[in-house]
Amino acid sequence: MTATAPPRSRAVLLGVQFPNVSDGDFESSLAELGRLAKTLGLEVVGRVTQRRGRLATGAVVGSGKLQDLAKFTGGTGIVPTGPPQPRRKEREAKVESRDDDDDDASDAEVEEVAASPDAVPPAERATVVLIDHDVTPSQARNLERATDAEVLDRTAVILAIFQRHARSREARLQVEIARLNYMAPRLRETGGGKDRQGGGIGGRGAGESSIELDRRKLRDRVAELRTELESIERDSSTRRKRRVQQHTVALVGYTNAGKSSWMRALTGSGVLVQDKLFATLDTTVRALQPETVPRVLISDTVGFIKKLPHDLVASFRSTLDEARDADLLVHLVDASDAAFPAQLEVTREVLREIEATEAPRLLVLNKIDKVDAETRAQLALEWPDAVPISVKDPADVATLRQRIVAFFERDMVEEELVVPYTKQRVVGEAHSACRVVSESHDEHGTRLRVRARPEVIAKLRAGL
Ligand SMILES: Nc1nc2c(ncn2[C@@H]2O[C@H](COP(=O)(O)OP(=O)(O)OP(=O)(O)O)[C@@H](O)[C@H]2O)c(=O)[nH]1
Ligand SMILES: [Mg+2]
């Protein structure tokens, strides 16, 4: 299994529905895998699904479903025995019993969900099988051997998208670390070492040691990348510290919820907006427009998704620090997606994972323009504290801006500062950190009435 796929290839989705998963959840998860595939540039030509107690230990699904898959992809639909052969050469290989997973009593197939496709002509065959589950390296290899296609699990698809969308050095390093960590345990199975050429003197032992060598190289490379990443992170953490006096808002939410669209609308910046998953990987920080005093900084960052690989979250930790340190989290959901409550929960979980749990949150039901009146009324009852808006409506943009401004106003107090003429630097600082309500001069110095958060005023007083 590899984490890359050739562009514009055809793909088949493979999903197993466990007994505790509802039809709705199963369908939306598979649809999401289809969207991930599309984002990767793959064309989804079909799907094979099965209800099972758990994944078949052999090749994920039962023998009948393997045959269905093979109709899309070519291949025998049978897991051959013997040592792994290069793909497309396996038809001559000795085959084992077609009931390859019959030893799995608990795998009883409850019901077949998808109809068998007619065999697809060779020119239109799918070359990729996408699975909505994490599979073991041997399950992936068996599937590959039965279908003659490349097998990617959800994690591999997400990693490939991240790899393609990463722009900055920081994002590239983060993705590369996650990718190498993903590959490490799979080395033995994918033949990443020289073991396939082995078999002579030393045989398997020699093969294993070359894998060990590869693993060590991988580990060394990860360590090297981490060092480079840490130095970049030190810089961005310094930059963030410099902003402590400013008000910060982080836009967070599921991928495609509309974070970058709101970033554009609120700040006038030209960040990328796309109907793709994980369009944004880098954090952007811009001032709320029209500017307020003090300035409010808005940050747009990577979106979340169900089963986001843990390594990826860990790698993007520093990027997500922007969310962790924000004064206010604006949590956006796509209200037009029926699955949004589950997406909201996923976002909450990732926020917990990165320890961004302290800042107050404002829940925004975005894309409300795509929601009918009846559903809107229902949403208003179910989510009374949420703000139902659309980025397409200028009045709504003004509304969210106002909510953000009001949030910071609420914590502000008004006080008078007398700044001696010897400390005029503080007057300048007050103008950038506070709203200056009035300013006059007398024999004591500059008399300022300022509105700001108490800690900001305290800091100014300390400088007097
Ligand atoms: N109809 C409608 N479409 C919207 C709205 N907000 C965003 N969109 C669309 O939703 C898609 C995704 O928007 P983005 O702003 O890129 O979403 P994102 O949350 O930044 O996504 P990632 O960066 O991939 O995590 C785009 O096609 C937007 O035009 C809205 O209020 N109404
Ligand atoms: Mg975005």
Side-chain angles (χ1 to χ4, degrees):
M1 200 155 38
T2 59
T4 53
R8 297 193 177 283
S9 305
R10 293 189 182 83
V12 195
L13 305 182
L14 177 59
V16 171
Q17 184 175 359
F18 301 126
N20 61 345
V21 175
S22 73
D23 288 355
D25 286 352
F26 180 68
E27 283 305 323
S28 82
S29 188
L30 213 57
E32 188 171 271
L33 185 65
R35 296 195 59 205
L36 285 166
K38 203 176 134 214
T39 298
L40 203 50
L42 297 169
E43 186 194 347
V44 177
V45 293
R47 44 182 269 175
V48 173
T49 60
Q50 185 170 45
R51 290 175 193 260
R52 301 182 64 96
R54 61 187 172 94
L55 302 184
T57 45
V60 181
V61 284
S63 52
K65 290 296 170 181
L66 279 184
Q67 297 282 322
D68 287 351
L69 263 182
K71 285 178 188 153
F72 285 111
T73 61
T76 57
I78 298 163
V79 181
T81 53
Q85 307 281 321
R87 271 190 270 159
R88 306 256 170 223
K89 283 196 183 151
E90 290 178 1
R91 283 180 199 93
E92 298 87 31
K94 181 172 164 268
V95 295
E96 66 181 21
S97 153
R98 282 180 42 174
D99 296 320
D100 54 315
D101 52 358
D102 273 1
D103 53 326
D104 259 330
S106 61
D107 283 347
E109 295 168 21
V110 181
E111 184 194 331
E112 309 263 301
V113 182
S116 301
D118 292 328
V120 173
E124 289 163 29
R125 275 179 190 159
T127 52
V128 182
V129 175
L130 299 178
I131 326 175
D132 204 16
H133 308 274
D134 288 327
V135 295
T136 66
S138 83
Q139 284 171 320
R141 192 194 53 208
N142 285 340
L143 259 183
E144 287 188 342
R145 295 172 79 196
T147 59
D148 234 357
E150 184 179 9
V151 171
L152 299 178
D153 64 16
R154 190 179 244 266
T155 301
V157 175
I158 294 173
L159 281 170
I161 294 173
F162 268 65
Q163 199 177 10
R164 211 172 275 186
H165 291 182
R167 293 281 170 271
S168 70
R169 183 76 193 142
E170 187 176 18
R172 286 207 194 128
L173 287 169
Q174 288 166 331
V175 177
E176 188 60 6
I177 291 170
R179 208 178 61 87
L180 294 177
N181 281 332
Y182 173 84
M183 276 168 59
R186 290 168 176 80
L187 266 187
R188 183 191 305 264
E189 305 292 343
T190 53
K194 297 187 191 107
D195 54 322
R196 281 187 184 175
Q197 297 151 24
I201 304 159
R204 191 190 166 112
E208 283 204 351
S209 67
S210 90
I211 284 166
E212 283 309 313
L213 195 70
D214 285 352
R215 284 218 174 109
R216 206 172 58 233
K217 273 195 213 145
L218 249 161
R219 267 200 307 274
D220 290 351
R221 181 78 186 125
V222 168
E224 209 175 282
L225 296 174
R226 284 227 165 94
T227 311
E228 191 183 339
L229 185 60
E230 274 161 21
S231 82
I232 299 180
E233 284 172 357
R234 267 195 299 278
D235 290 349
S236 48
S237 138
T238 320
R239 232 177 302 136
R240 235 186 353 268
K241 288 220 180 70
R242 251 183 260 136
R243 291 200 291 259
V244 180
Q245 287 307 305
Q246 322 225 30
H247 296 157
T248 55
V249 177
L251 303 173
V252 295
Y254 211 72
T255 182
N256 210 51
K259 300 175 295 298
S260 299
S261 306
W262 276 99
M263 180 75 180
R264 288 178 89 121
L266 292 169
T267 69
S269 73
V271 296
L272 180 72
V273 170
Q274 270 185 318
D275 196 12
K276 277 189 173 176
L277 304 186
F278 302 114
T280 309
L281 292 187
D282 292 305
T283 303
T284 317
V285 182
R286 296 276 183 280
L288 181 68
Q289 296 291 337
E291 274 203 29
T292 51
V293 180
R295 288 202 304 173
V296 173
L297 297 179
I298 314 273
S299 68
D300 171 30
T301 190
V302 59
F304 305 143
I305 200 167
K306 197 162 69 92
K307 302 186 199 159
L308 195 61
H310 187 82
D311 259 333
L312 214 45
V313 178
S315 300
F316 275 78
R317 245 192 129 82
S318 72
T319 308
L320 293 167
D321 276 352
E322 214 64 61
R324 208 182 53 197
D325 296 345
D327 299 309
L328 172 67
L329 292 179
V330 172
H331 183 165
L332 296 158
V333 295
D334 176 352
S336 70
D337 188 333
F340 90 77
Q343 299 174 350
L344 186 134
E345 199 38 53
V346 168
T347 304
R348 285 183 178 155
E349 264 166 40
V350 181
L351 289 173
R352 263 196 297 275
E353 202 172 323
I354 60 161
E355 289 150 18
T357 46
E358 279 168 26
R361 292 180 202 187
L362 181 62
L363 181 61
V364 170
L365 303 179
N366 191 34
K367 308 197 190 180
I368 206 73
D369 57 298
K370 288 168 76 182
V371 175
D372 63 46
E374 194 185 326
T375 316
R376 272 189 214 197
Q378 205 179 324
L379 288 175
L381 284 177
E382 274 175 50
W383 307 90
D385 297 330
V387 193
I389 45 178
S390 161
V391 78
K392 313 244 173 206
D393 183 345
D396 285 354
V397 175
T399 300
L400 186 56
R401 181 184 180 279
Q402 193 41 45
R403 287 290 293 259
I404 291 171
V405 171
F407 171 83
F408 290 107
E409 288 273 330
R410 220 173 34 205
D411 291 346
M412 287 188 191
V413 293
E414 195 169 312
E415 282 187 32
E416 189 171 75
L417 289 176
V418 180
V419 185
Y421 290 114
T422 52
K423 297 274 175 60
Q424 287 300 294
R425 182 180 44 86
V426 178
V427 175
E429 284 173 10
H431 274 279
S432 63
C434 315
R435 169 119 53 86
V436 178
V437 182
S438 69
E439 182 169 350
S440 61
H441 305 273
D442 59 25
E443 69 274 23
H444 302 293
T446 305
R447 205 170 277 274
L448 298 171
R449 272 206 85 73
V450 296
R451 277 185 71 79
R453 284 185 301 179
E455 64 268 27
V456 173
I457 295 178
K459 180 118 199 274
L460 289 174
R461 281 199 194 285
L464 287 179

